[in-house]
Amino acid sequence: MPQQGSYYSVNEANAATWPAPYRDYLDKLRGGGLGRQYSSRYIGSLVADFHRTLLKGGVFLYPPTRDQPGGKLRLLYEANPLAFIAEQAGGIASSGSGRILDIKPEGIHQRTPFMVGSRREMEALAEVGTSH
């Protein structure tokens, strides 16, 4: 995975229901705050969006929402496998409050917020304080 990309991938239709730091983060990306212009590329398929992020860099976000404060993606069979691949490729995967692979599973269908991407974008995400 490149250290920095030029794409972000997120369902912006839910932006009004995200915690403010996620909206601030996207404003930073769109405004060139990381030294380049970012383009939105959201297919709506986790694997396809992640595949592009893996090859081209950037960030994929599935933040918590008002209706799903614990996230929507499943930890054990969606977030963990992709987090493992991302980290092996030099990227970072986070729940917004910590490393995905450090979450101790409490149930087979446990859900989590999921943000994954290139090192530069993910470090910038951590800087805006996305803890929830």
Side-chain angles (χ1 to χ4, degrees), residues 20-31:
Y22 293 97
R23 294 190 302 272
D24 296 343
Y25 174 70
L26 285 185
D27 288 344
K28 184 175 187 174
L29 292 181
R30 286 189 295 257

Side-chain angles (χ1 to χ4, degrees), residues 80-132:
N80 272 345
L82 296 182
F84 179 79
I85 292 168
E87 287 189 8
Q88 294 303 303
I92 296 173
S94 172
S95 67
S97 59
R99 185 174 171 249
I100 286 288
L101 295 176
D102 286 342
I103 299 171
K104 182 180 177 192
E106 297 175 4
I108 189 84
H109 303 296
Q110 179 178 340
R111 295 177 187 268
T112 185
F114 184 62
M115 283 61 67
V116 63
S118 296
R119 187 159 295 281
R120 178 71 178 106
E121 286 85 4
M122 292 301 292
E123 288 172 351
L125 180 62
E127 290 170 8
V128 297
T130 57
S131 293
H132 53 279

Side-chain angles (χ1 to χ4, degrees), residues 46 72-83 111 114:
L46 173 60
K72 189 168 179 188
L73 298 179
R74 275 66 57 119
L75 175 65
L76 291 178
Y77 45 91
E78 290 174 323
N80 272 345
L82 296 182
R111 295 177 187 268
F114 184 62

Side-chain angles (χ1 to χ4, degrees), residues 30-48:
R30 286 189 295 257
L34 295 184
R36 60 179 56 173
Q37 196 64 32
Y38 281 78
S39 297
S40 175
R41 297 284 188 276
Y42 181 69
I43 297 169
S45 165
L46 173 60
V47 173

